[in-house]
Amino acid sequence: MEKTIASITKPKDEELKERLSAAREKLATLQIKVKEAKLPVLVLFEGFGAAGKGSVLSKIIKNMDPRFFHVETMDQPEPTELRKPFLYRYFKRIPENGQFTFMDGGWMEEIVRDRVHEQLDEEAFGKKICSIKRFERTLSDNGCTILKFFFYIDENEQKKRMEELLADENTAWRVSEEDLWQNKKHKKCSEVYQTYMEQTNQSYAPWYAIDAKSKKWAELQILERINQNIETALANSGRAVPILPNLFPLSPIPKLADVDLNKELTEEEYQEKLEKLQKRLSELHNVLYREKIPVIIAYEGWDAAGKGGNIKRIAAALDARGYEVHPIASPEPHEKNRHFLWRFWTRLPKSGHIAIFDRTWYGRVMVERLEGFCSENDWQRAYNEINEFEKELDDWGAVIVKFWVQIDKDTQLERFTLRQNTPEKRWKITDEDWRNRGKWDLYEDAVNEMLQKTNTTYAPWHILESNDKKYARIKALEIVIQAMEEQIKKKKNS
Amino acid sequence: MEKTIASITKPKDEELKERLSAAREKLATLQIKVKEAKLPVLVLFEGFGAAGKGSVLSKIIKNMDPRFFHVETMDQPEPTELRKPFLYRYFKRIPENGQFTFMDGGWMEEIVRDRVHEQLDEEAFGKKICSIKRFERTLSDNGCTILKFFFYIDENEQKKRMEELLADENTAWRVSEEDLWQNKKHKKCSEVYQTYMEQTNQSYAPWYAIDAKSKKWAELQILERINQNIETALANSGRAVPILPNLFPLSPIPKLADVDLNKELTEEEYQEKLEKLQKRLSELHNVLYREKIPVIIAYEGWDAAGKGGNIKRIAAALDARGYEVHPIASPEPHEKNRHFLWRFWTRLPKSGHIAIFDRTWYGRVMVERLEGFCSENDWQRAYNEINEFEKELDDWGAVIVKFWVQIDKDTQLERFTLRQNTPEKRWKITDEDWRNRGKWDLYEDAVNEMLQKTNTTYAPWHILESNDKKYARIKALEIVIQAMEEQIKKKKNS
């Protein structure tokens, strides 16, 4: 790294001053174009302790309108954050369209720290880098401009700066134990930083090593890079993005038309099994809690297929303090203005808890596809993005169960009519339900494609034959229980 | 408490079963009416450890549709929550209109625990109770139905239940150290609970002591109370609420028409003072951080009065990692569906940090009043609700500075025209700005009323004469610095 930095030549003072003033002015203009083009911009400030990230950042934002940016200072994770997938706290903070997010210390800091302290071995480190690359790529594919700055200062400069900070009681708190340790292991840290940067240097999320010895010079390097990248992004805005081929292991799954919907249970079979299974699920909930295993149960299916009643039979066995049902409606403005998975990332449960989604992220490849709420390129890309998302959940150790609740068209009509004619149920049926019914065949094609492209071995789909709701409920309980038992066994053996 | 509980007679099994089934059905019907009437409902589950709050709650929600409720389990506060006013974590979780929030262990648990462990003395305990009463009242006044249930079991029953839980490794985690301690000090705890309940038993937020020995019986008591209270609320919905007289100390403040707008600074005076003051502010930011003093700076003022530029001069002196500017636009649906202060409570800074609001909660008594976005009763009540809100901030130890940025009508016209004619500034001016200008006199009356009714001694208004923006910026810096210095002194002396 030292050599990379040495090759950057600081301009003369006068030139620096001139370029700085031009770059500041340019950013002030570009921020408005960013707003207008609804471009999200994510800028990462990483690097050595005491390298001046904070003070340079303070200068950068002076050229900007507070309506257009957020600063996120990444302290140590909160206890709740530690009980989520490691990308959670970063995904949560991605910028809204038209806004900048400046992140002071991001995912690089976290995983390099864990690596140098040997809390991550070579393999785990490689896996995290893989996750990070996917994360950065999916943001970029969805229109986000990403810039990553690495603030470099050498060992002596770092030492000198920390001594200055420590000398004043009002600034001493800025120097952490970690900073002091880092200074002692400057060479080792440099090496790990360098490895990390080499592995995550992508055209959609480039690394810029910054000579941070002079603050003005650091500011200029950053401003010019930001301006340049924004101009490129503006010129490219609205471009289609290559669709990545799927690399995850898929299992075969039948087409909806081939599903046998004649399965049913008698009332006695149902009651008997229901009681037994709910009792078992209730016991497992305690074990999951103790073992801190997170559970994600995702429901998709036709309107009036019986999702609600099915969820109720699962929920009835659970302790209210350990699960949440998330009914997913159309996104609010602040949700629509971010990556489509944002509102699901932010609803993930804590480890040991259960989240049940009544409709899910698969809306992207069903309703959003069919109603034109996103471009074709967007939903085509989404299959892989979803598989990657679920891969993160799997790596985190989650039980993932995805249900498609299936009925035939006649059964839907019967249930719609019943709802319409029953006063207490009338709120459940809307004009939109009837409109969607009109598009049954289009939906069926979309669902078949979705099932085939996202039926990964680590997050499989299960079709619930729900012409007989009782049959579907028992089957759901059995699948959930089995998936939990397997994960508990796996965790105990690991 | 024992006596209150003893006076509640459990019905015979058959009657219990019948009433239970009727009450469950009724709640299922009422939840839809609650949704339609956009009524928020907050239900608190408090009481002794192992009294069965969680399992009764699990049963209650079985009768409900997951779209209509949330369960909030209040664990120990996270580090960030501890750096906010104590009501923050509760205010954050208030229900949306048309929704139930069930809170398992709320503010009673927190402050009674602190009291029995003697972390709160008599006086501090009294102060918290005062805050809580205001909190509950303001929710109720804004249409929220509040029910508070206290789960009572006697010492022996509690002991027996904990022993059962501890005997199974899968349930042992449910018994906390605190629960064990509580059992030993059952009598003392009962007394503090009793005191707390007596002091916070209000018609708008009643306490119901529940005999929790039998779970079915507990469920019935709760269901019937919830149903009854919802019916009352539905019958009363849309009613006007008495306007409380102001009890907080107010200072006199001039009317806008009497403000002398001829104050100005030369460019040299301005530059000299600006540099000196920004340097001082920058130093103070470090001290505030170290002393963990939170700062709230609120900006209101005419369109084009120079709020943005004024804020910029404050922000320029601050470290990016320690402050945030919150530009306040019209609320999103999830914000509009809650108490009007919710979106400000959730934007409060951590202690040691600075939040600058570009437009504020005073929108309630200006734009919302004049545009009819809330009822007259709503905005009339808001003066006191705002004074109470700011009292919480003051009790928390915050520096509170409120600015009204004042210009005259001619100056506004000049600046509007300039914006319209300057391409880079045109985004700053909208048709709405012109419409608002047309209502200048109405706004002026509203602002005068607002200034007079909310100019409390603990959160005073400062009028910034901003026909000369330079004068206004220097004055703002001076006021902010002075307020910070006073609070630092106060904290050091305490």
Side-chain angles (χ1 to χ4, degrees):
Chain A
M1 180 125 44
E2 213 139 14
K3 283 181 199 153
T4 323
I5 296 296
S7 72
I8 308 174
T9 325
K10 185 180 158 192
K12 297 237 167 64
D13 280 2
E14 199 169 332
E15 183 194 336
L16 198 152
K17 208 175 144 189
E18 239 167 66
R19 276 166 64 187
L20 202 47
S21 136
R24 285 174 181 161
E25 218 163 284
K26 183 150 210 172
L27 179 59
T29 316
L30 283 176
Q31 66 175 348
I32 298 165
K33 295 197 177 154
V34 161
K35 183 82 189 164
E36 282 164 359
K38 293 184 189 294
L39 190 73
V41 182
L42 180 55
V43 185
L44 252 59
F45 279 50
E46 301 273 15
F48 279 100
K53 297 195 292 289
S55 55
V56 173
L57 176 52
S58 302
K59 282 197 180 128
I60 300 275
I61 60 176
K62 274 192 210 175
N63 311 298
M64 300 185 66
D65 188 293
R67 272 164 285 195
F68 303 154
F69 72 87
H70 285 274
V71 170
E72 297 287 354
T73 306
M74 302 308 290
D75 288 323
Q76 293 296 315
E78 303 259 304
T80 299
E81 291 178 329
L82 290 171
R83 293 178 65 178
K84 310 252 179 166
F86 87 102
L87 286 174
Y88 166 80
R89 57 200 302 255
Y90 305 113
F91 215 110
K92 191 176 150 189
R93 291 170 167 92
I94 60 172
E96 267 191 75
N97 295 340
Q99 296 244 339
F100 292 70
T101 290
F102 294 97
M103 206 174 275
D104 175 15
W107 43 94
M108 175 203 231
E109 182 172 316
E110 180 177 333
I111 87 154
V112 168
R113 184 177 56 225
D114 288 355
R115 179 69 185 129
V116 292
H117 288 287
E118 278 152 29
Q119 279 158 15
L120 282 180
D121 63 19
E122 188 76 37
E123 194 194 330
F125 182 66
K127 212 169 168 183
K128 292 243 158 139
I129 284 187
C130 215
S131 292
I132 283 166
K133 281 159 76 173
R134 292 194 298 246
F135 170 47
E136 293 177 351
R137 200 216 63 248
T138 195
L139 291 185
S140 163
D141 284 355
N142 284 274
C144 187
T145 295
I146 305 174
L147 293 100
K148 303 180 292 194
F149 293 104
F150 186 86
F151 280 61
Y152 180 84
I153 45 173
D154 66 28
E155 203 178 328
N156 294 333
E157 178 71 17
Q158 190 186 31
K159 200 169 173 202
K160 201 184 85 191
R161 290 193 187 182
M162 291 194 307
E163 280 165 1
E164 277 167 23
L165 289 168
L166 287 168
D168 178 347
E169 63 164 358
N170 288 323
T171 55
W173 58 268
R174 291 196 183 276
V175 180
S176 66
E177 282 301 310
E178 181 63 22
D179 292 339
L180 293 168
W181 186 90
Q182 207 186 48
N183 187 239
K184 276 186 215 132
K185 306 274 182 182
H186 194 279
K187 185 151 175 271
K188 183 180 174 184
C189 291
S190 275
E191 281 164 14
V192 181
Y193 278 133
Q194 176 76 24
T195 308
Y196 178 95
M197 284 165 70
E198 282 169 13
Q199 292 190 34
T200 57
N201 194 26
Q202 311 281 349
S203 58
Y204 52 77
W207 271 115
Y208 299 107
I210 297 297
D211 173 5
K213 203 158 177 183
S214 141
K215 287 195 179 160
K216 283 215 167 124
W217 173 217
E219 186 190 348
L220 177 59
Q221 296 170 75
I222 291 169
L223 281 172
E224 289 186 341
R225 292 303 191 178
I226 293 179
N227 289 338
Q228 185 185 38
N229 279 273
I230 288 175
E231 287 192 319
T232 309
L234 289 170
N236 288 337
S237 94
R239 83 197 188 287
V241 174
I243 313 291
L244 284 182
N246 173 61
L247 294 178
F248 296 103
L250 293 173
S251 309
I253 189 159
K255 292 209 178 255
L256 291 186
D258 300 331
V259 172
D260 173 11
L261 286 169
N262 292 319
K263 296 170 178 172
E264 50 182 45
L265 289 177
T266 65
E267 185 65 24
E268 299 82 62
E269 286 172 311
Y270 172 64
Q271 289 301 344
E272 195 194 327
K273 291 194 177 193
L274 184 67
E275 195 182 332
K276 215 184 80 196
L277 293 168
Q278 286 186 334
K279 191 160 166 275
R280 178 66 187 141
L281 181 55
S282 181
E283 290 162 8
L284 285 171
H285 198 192
N286 276 324
V287 183
L288 291 165
Y289 190 90
R290 194 163 58 91
E291 298 279 344
K292 296 227 188 312
I293 297 173
V295 180
I296 318 275
I297 306 176
Y299 277 86
E300 288 288 355
W302 300 105
D303 291 326
K307 289 191 300 296
N310 203 299
I311 290 172
K312 235 173 167 169
R313 295 333 184 271
I314 305 273
L318 303 176
D319 186 299
R321 292 165 293 187
Y323 81 93
E324 190 158 12
V325 179
H326 297 285
I328 301 300
S330 15
E332 291 210 6
H334 70 288
E335 295 172 327
K336 214 183 300 194
N337 277 334
R338 290 185 172 91
H339 190 288
F340 77 96
L341 288 172
W342 184 80
R343 60 189 183 131
F344 304 103
W345 269 98
T346 52
R347 282 172 170 88
L348 290 177
K350 287 192 286 192
S351 60
H353 284 236
I354 298 175
I356 303 176
F357 289 89
D358 183 356
R359 303 205 182 279
T360 68
W361 42 99
Y362 285 97
R364 187 71 161 186
V365 293
M366 294 195 294
V367 57
E368 291 188 40
R369 162 184 177 174
L370 292 174
E371 302 294 337
F373 296 154
C374 62
S375 73
E376 171 156 356
N377 192 260
D378 283 337
W379 64 258
Q380 289 275 15
R381 258 182 4 252
Y383 299 111
N384 182 55
E385 290 170 340
I386 286 172
N387 288 344
E388 289 178 346
F389 168 52
E390 293 172 357
K391 188 79 184 68
E392 287 308 318
L393 304 182
D394 181 52
D395 285 348
W396 175 41
V399 175
I400 311 166
V401 177
K402 302 185 305 199
F403 289 125
W404 175 262
V405 191
Q406 173 65 2
I407 51 172
D408 59 35
K409 224 174 149 179
D410 292 346
T411 305
Q412 189 187 52
L413 183 60
E414 255 170 52
R415 292 186 188 166
F416 274 16
T417 314
L418 183 70
R419 285 183 177 183
Q420 203 88 54
N421 297 335
T422 317
E424 323 78 89
K425 294 196 173 175
R426 205 167 292 149
W427 63 274
K428 283 189 168 186
I429 182 128
T430 64
D431 291 351
E432 212 189 311
D433 295 330
W434 288 103
R435 272 198 303 276
N436 289 342
R437 180 173 163 79
K439 299 185 186 169
W440 182 287
D441 294 345
L442 287 173
Y443 270 96
E444 184 160 331
D445 288 345
V447 173
N448 278 327
E449 186 174 356
M450 165 186 97
L451 293 175
Q452 268 150 45
K453 292 193 168 168
T454 60
N455 193 39
T456 53
T457 52
Y458 55 84
W461 279 101
H462 303 275
I463 295 174
L464 300 176
E465 299 84 348
S466 192
N467 269 8
D468 178 36
K469 290 181 186 175
K470 297 193 293 295
Y471 178 85
R473 289 169 189 169
I474 296 302
K475 183 169 175 183
L477 277 160
E478 286 172 343
I479 289 167
V480 166
I481 287 171
Q482 199 195 340
M484 287 174 173
E485 285 173 340
E486 279 168 14
Q487 194 75 1
I488 290 166
K489 208 195 271 173
K490 207 168 124 189
K491 178 137 190 186
K492 281 189 174 156
N493 292 340
S494 72
Chain B
M1 179 126 46
E2 210 137 19
K3 283 181 198 154
T4 322
I5 296 296
S7 72
I8 308 173
T9 325
K10 184 180 160 192
K12 296 240 167 62
D13 282 3
E14 200 169 332
E15 183 195 334
L16 198 151
K17 206 176 145 188
E18 239 167 65
R19 277 166 63 186
L20 203 47
S21 134
R24 285 173 181 163
E25 219 164 283
K26 183 151 210 170
L27 180 57
T29 316
L30 283 176
Q31 67 176 347
I32 298 165
K33 294 196 178 155
V34 161
K35 182 84 188 161
E36 283 165 358
K38 295 185 189 290
L39 191 72
V41 182
L42 179 56
V43 185
L44 252 59
F45 279 50
E46 301 272 15
F48 280 101
K53 296 194 294 286
S55 55
V56 173
L57 176 53
S58 302
K59 281 195 180 127
I60 301 273
I61 60 176
K62 274 192 210 175
N63 310 298
M64 299 184 66
D65 187 294
R67 273 164 285 194
F68 303 155
F69 72 87
H70 285 272
V71 170
E72 298 286 354
T73 306
M74 303 307 291
D75 290 323
Q76 295 296 316
E78 304 259 305
T80 299
E81 291 178 330
L82 290 172
R83 293 179 63 179
K84 310 251 181 168
F86 88 102
L87 285 173
Y88 165 81
R89 58 199 302 254
Y90 305 113
F91 215 109
K92 188 176 152 188
R93 291 169 167 94
I94 61 172
E96 267 191 75
N97 295 341
Q99 297 245 340
F100 290 71
T101 290
F102 294 97
M103 206 176 275
D104 175 15
W107 44 95
M108 176 204 228
E109 183 172 314
E110 179 178 334
I111 87 155
V112 168
R113 185 177 54 224
D114 288 352
R115 179 71 185 127
V116 292
H117 289 288
E118 279 153 26
Q119 280 158 15
L120 281 181
D121 63 18
E122 189 76 37
E123 193 194 330
F125 183 66
K127 211 168 168 183
K128 292 240 158 142
I129 286 188
C130 215
S131 292
I132 284 166
K133 281 159 76 173
R134 292 195 297 244
F135 170 47
E136 294 176 351
R137 199 215 67 246
T138 194
L139 291 184
S140 164
D141 284 354
N142 285 273
C144 186
T145 295
I146 305 173
L147 293 99
K148 301 179 293 192
F149 293 104
F150 186 86
F151 279 61
Y152 181 84
I153 46 174
D154 66 28
E155 202 178 327
N156 294 332
E157 179 71 18
Q158 190 186 30
K159 198 168 174 203
K160 202 184 83 191
R161 290 193 187 182
M162 291 193 309
E163 279 163 1
E164 278 167 21
L165 288 169
L166 287 169
D168 178 347
E169 61 164 357
N170 287 324
T171 55
W173 58 267
R174 290 195 184 280
V175 181
S176 65
E177 283 302 311
E178 180 64 21
D179 292 339
L180 293 166
W181 186 90
Q182 206 186 47
N183 188 241
K184 277 185 214 133
K185 306 275 182 182
H186 193 279
K187 187 152 174 270
K188 182 181 173 183
C189 292
S190 277
E191 281 165 13
V192 181
Y193 279 133
Q194 177 75 26
T195 309
Y196 178 94
M197 286 165 70
E198 282 168 14
Q199 292 190 33
T200 57
N201 195 27
Q202 310 282 348
S203 58
Y204 52 77
W207 271 113
Y208 299 108
I210 298 296
D211 173 6
K213 202 158 177 182
S214 142
K215 288 198 177 157
K216 283 216 165 119
W217 174 216
E219 185 190 349
L220 178 60
Q221 294 169 76
I222 291 168
L223 282 172
E224 290 186 341
R225 293 304 192 177
I226 292 179
N227 290 338
Q228 187 185 37
N229 279 273
I230 288 175
E231 287 192 319
T232 310
L234 289 169
N236 288 337
S237 93
R239 82 195 189 288
V241 174
I243 314 290
L244 285 182
N246 174 61
L247 293 178
F248 296 103
L250 292 173
S251 309
I253 189 161
K255 292 210 178 252
L256 292 186
D258 300 331
V259 172
D260 173 11
L261 286 169
N262 292 319
K263 296 172 180 173
E264 52 185 45
L265 288 178
T266 66
E267 184 65 25
E268 298 82 60
E269 285 173 312
Y270 173 64
Q271 289 300 346
E272 193 195 329
K273 291 194 176 193
L274 184 66
E275 195 182 333
K276 214 183 83 198
L277 292 168
Q278 287 187 332
K279 189 159 169 276
R280 178 66 186 140
L281 181 55
S282 181
E283 290 161 8
L284 284 171
H285 198 194
N286 276 323
V287 183
L288 291 164
Y289 190 90
R290 193 163 59 91
E291 298 281 343
K292 296 226 187 316
I293 297 173
V295 179
I296 319 274
I297 306 176
Y299 277 86
E300 290 286 357
W302 299 105
D303 291 326
K307 289 192 298 299
N310 204 299
I311 290 173
K312 235 174 167 168
R313 296 331 183 272
I314 304 274
L318 304 175
D319 186 299
R321 292 166 294 188
Y323 81 95
E324 190 158 12
V325 179
H326 297 285
I328 302 299
S330 14
E332 290 210 7
H334 71 287
E335 295 173 326
K336 214 184 298 195
N337 277 334
R338 290 185 172 92
H339 190 287
F340 78 96
L341 289 172
W342 184 80
R343 61 187 182 131
F344 304 103
W345 270 97
T346 52
R347 284 173 167 86
L348 289 178
K350 287 194 285 193
S351 61
H353 284 236
I354 298 176
I356 302 176
F357 289 89
D358 183 357
R359 303 205 180 279
T360 69
W361 42 99
Y362 285 96
R364 187 69 161 186
V365 293
M366 294 195 293
V367 57
E368 291 188 39
R369 163 184 177 175
L370 292 175
E371 303 293 337
F373 297 153
C374 64
S375 73
E376 171 155 358
N377 193 260
D378 284 336
W379 63 259
Q380 289 275 12
R381 260 184 359 256
Y383 300 110
N384 181 54
E385 290 169 340
I386 286 172
N387 287 344
E388 289 178 346
F389 168 52
E390 293 171 358
K391 187 80 185 68
E392 288 307 319
L393 303 181
D394 181 52
D395 283 351
W396 175 40
V399 175
I400 311 166
V401 177
K402 303 185 303 199
F403 289 126
W404 175 262
V405 191
Q406 173 66 3
I407 50 172
D408 58 36
K409 226 174 149 178
D410 292 345
T411 304
Q412 188 186 54
L413 184 59
E414 256 171 50
R415 294 187 188 166
F416 275 16
T417 313
L418 183 70
R419 285 181 178 185
Q420 202 90 52
N421 298 336
T422 317
E424 323 79 90
K425 293 197 173 175
R426 206 168 291 147
W427 64 274
K428 283 189 169 187
I429 182 129
T430 65
D431 290 351
E432 213 188 312
D433 294 331
W434 288 102
R435 272 197 303 277
N436 289 342
R437 180 173 163 79
K439 298 183 187 171
W440 181 288
D441 293 345
L442 287 173
Y443 270 96
E444 183 161 333
D445 288 346
V447 173
N448 277 326
E449 185 173 357
M450 167 186 96
L451 293 175
Q452 264 149 49
K453 291 192 168 168
T454 60
N455 193 39
T456 53
T457 52
Y458 54 85
W461 279 102
H462 302 274
I463 295 175
L464 299 178
E465 298 84 348
S466 191
N467 270 9
D468 177 36
K469 290 181 186 174
K470 298 193 293 295
Y471 178 86
R473 290 169 188 167
I474 295 300
K475 183 169 174 183
L477 277 160
E478 286 171 342
I479 289 167
V480 166
I481 287 170
Q482 199 196 340
M484 287 175 173
E485 285 174 339
E486 278 169 15
Q487 195 73 1
I488 291 166
K489 208 196 271 175
K490 207 168 126 190
K491 180 139 189 185
K492 282 190 173 154
N493 292 340
S494 74

